[in-house]
Amino acid sequence: MHKTKKMLKELITSNLYTRYSNILSLSDIPLFLIDTNGDILFEFIPSPNFCTRVCQENVGQICQDYKCRLKPDTENRFVCRYGLENILLPIIVNDETVGYLAGLQVYLKENEYQRYMIDIQSFSEDNFPKLEYVAKSISLLKTVESNKIKIHEQLCGQITKDISLDLSQSVNDSYSDVERLSIEKEILEKKIIDLEAKNMSLVVNPHFLFNTLNCIARIAYFENSHTTEELIYCLSDLLRYNLKQDYQLHTIGAEIDNVKKYLYIQKVRFKNRLEYEIDVPENIKSYRIPNMVIQPILENAVIHGITPKRDGGKICIFGEENKNEIVISITDNGSGFSKDVLQKIQQCENKSGLGFRSTDKRLKQHYGEQYGLKIVKSDYSGSTVTITIPSQPIPR
């Protein structure tokens, strides 16, 4: 049992999840993977802020409505105390439940009235001194038609079976990599055809792009062009992460995973002219920040710091929790920003400035004026930019 759980966690970092994300890019309904203790292992599609920052008592763990159902023979579909539709699908390997696929967290159209019955005043002011945040979180909860939920359930059911199958294959060591790829390819292709035929109001605009990238990656795999394959998967993930709605908060862990893919692509481009180091402790990866706040800083480090130097340079990303704050520092040993570039950044007169200013503004909107982005240093020895957010579950 312990070995199987370990395999489940290892699957998170494999290309298996890239292929799941390709098919789930057609939907915007929350979906995540949890273990039998209720710890969230992986988020395919992030949960709404109401669920993650109001209902969940502990960061990185599901709420009590889910926890009380982590037992054999539980129903796959349930309605939580606030009227939200939820699913909880067991992942079973050799007759043992090793985890769950969970999500939905939306209202049915006919039950949407229940959001207006939530008593905001019932939330403890000790934990939520700004009750208007709770009200805003409730207003952002999605309302979905029942037919869209049905097709999403079918997808989740297939993914659950696919994970169980892959774990069983790993445990029994009975399938080769090529055989497993072939099985997964057939399953995904059938699901794509089914979704397109039913046209259940899902977002399909990026579908062609992701499907094409996936096809090219498969060809690269069978031609043993592993660097090309990895580049394509990284690009696909970067594009998908870019398309996520920016009013939702994502985990620091997810942001760092996205950054790793960006730096991998740049490393292939610059070769030995670019080195990088990432040191972000596990205890802060569960905290949430707006998506795409680190990458604009990295782009500026590459453009203004690394590119002008003949021998290139190194970029470092460090994270730490200091009292009631989390600070993420991005440093490089490049040439630093020139005075005119630094002035343009501060005055928002070019694309670089726009990226810095908009990132700082988004952080301040979420957490308050005392938080955000700061250029700590920029001279001939390099640059240091920090991102500061509160470590409290709810902004004070």
Side-chain angles (χ1 to χ4, degrees), residues 282-308:
E282 290 295 325
N283 67 300
I284 70 171
K285 286 186 177 180
S286 297
Y287 289 100
R288 292 177 172 266
I289 57 175
N291 72 322
M292 296 296 294
V293 295
I294 298 179
Q295 186 175 326
I297 303 171
L298 291 177
E299 288 178 357
N300 279 281
V302 171
I303 294 170
H304 300 294
I306 306 303
T307 302

Side-chain angles (χ1 to χ4, degrees), residues 222-233:
F222 287 110
E223 291 180 349
N224 293 319
S225 303
H226 298 305
T227 301
T228 303
E229 178 195 16
E230 189 65 25
L231 277 172
I232 293 168
Y233 278 132

Side-chain angles (χ1 to χ4, degrees), residues 1 3 5 31 39 44 75 132 140 155 193 202 213 241 245 251 262 273 295 299 314 321 323-324 338 351 357 376 393:
M1 182 71 170
K3 181 181 178 181
K5 284 186 177 182
L31 184 67
D39 292 324
F44 293 102
E75 293 185 8
E132 61 267 26
L140 291 175
L155 270 174
I193 293 171
L202 297 175
L213 288 172
Y241 194 79
Q245 295 174 339
T251 63
Y262 171 78
R273 291 186 61 234
Q295 186 175 326
E299 288 178 357
K314 184 176 182 179
E321 185 173 5
K323 295 182 180 179
N324 295 324
S338 62
K351 290 184 178 179
R357 293 289 292 272
V376 177

Side-chain angles (χ1 to χ4, degrees), residues 305-320:
I306 306 303
T307 302
K309 291 188 68 174
R310 180 177 179 181
D311 297 328
K314 184 176 182 179
I315 297 175
C316 299
I317 303 173
F318 298 106
E320 62 178 346

Side-chain angles (χ1 to χ4, degrees), residues 65-254:
D65 283 326
Y66 276 103
K67 282 186 178 179
C68 67
R69 291 174 171 83
L70 298 182
K71 54 187 178 182
D73 303 322
T74 186
E75 293 185 8
N76 292 340
R77 180 91 166 262
F78 70 92
V79 179
C80 75
R81 74 189 85 170
Y82 298 112
L84 291 165
E85 299 286 327
N86 294 267
I87 55 171
L88 187 64
L89 306 176
I91 298 170
I92 299 173
V93 178
N94 296 336
D95 298 325
E96 288 185 290
T97 299
V98 298
Y100 296 86
L101 202 63
L104 279 186
Q105 298 171 317
V106 297
Y107 284 110
L108 283 172
K109 272 202 168 182
E110 53 267 32
N111 295 332
E112 184 184 12
Y113 68 91
Q114 294 189 51
R115 80 163 74 220
Y116 306 110
M117 299 177 65
I118 298 175
D119 182 9
I120 298 177
Q121 298 299 324
S122 65
F123 293 93
S124 169
E125 292 192 5
D126 293 333
N127 296 326
F128 306 99
K130 292 186 177 181
L131 291 180
E132 61 267 26
Y133 173 83
V134 179
K136 181 180 178 182
S137 299
I138 293 172
S139 69
L140 291 175
L141 291 170
K142 295 181 183 297
T143 300
V144 178
E145 295 178 354
S146 58
N147 57 0
K148 185 175 180 180
I149 290 181
K150 286 180 181 178
I151 193 66
H152 186 79
E153 280 188 293
Q154 290 176 11
L155 270 174
C156 296
Q158 187 59 63
I159 290 175
T160 303
K161 292 177 183 177
D162 200 13
I163 294 175
S164 298
L165 175 64
D166 193 85
L167 284 171
S168 297
Q169 290 170 357
S170 298
V171 172
N172 300 322
D173 196 24
S174 59
Y175 286 84
S176 69
D177 288 340
V178 175
E179 287 173 327
R180 184 162 62 249
L181 282 169
S182 178
I183 292 170
E184 291 162 358
K185 182 174 180 291
E186 289 179 8
I187 291 171
L188 290 174
E189 285 178 345
K190 288 177 181 177
K191 288 292 109 183
I192 289 172
I193 293 171
D194 185 49
L195 280 170
E196 289 178 335
K198 293 183 178 179
N199 190 24
M200 292 296 184
S201 303
L202 297 175
V203 180
V204 296
N205 290 335
H207 165 58
F208 175 76
L209 174 61
F210 290 130
N211 194 39
T212 302
L213 288 172
N214 191 48
C215 179
I216 296 171
R218 298 290 185 173
I219 294 171
Y221 174 84
F222 287 110
E223 291 180 349
N224 293 319
S225 303
H226 298 305
T227 301
T228 303
E229 178 195 16
E230 189 65 25
L231 277 172
I232 293 168
Y233 278 132
C234 285
L235 176 60
S236 179
D237 285 347
L238 281 172
L239 292 171
R240 186 178 304 105
Y241 194 79
N242 257 306
L243 290 171
K244 290 181 178 179
Q245 295 174 339
D246 60 3
Y247 63 78
Q248 291 182 333
L249 297 179
H250 303 267
T251 63
I252 291 176

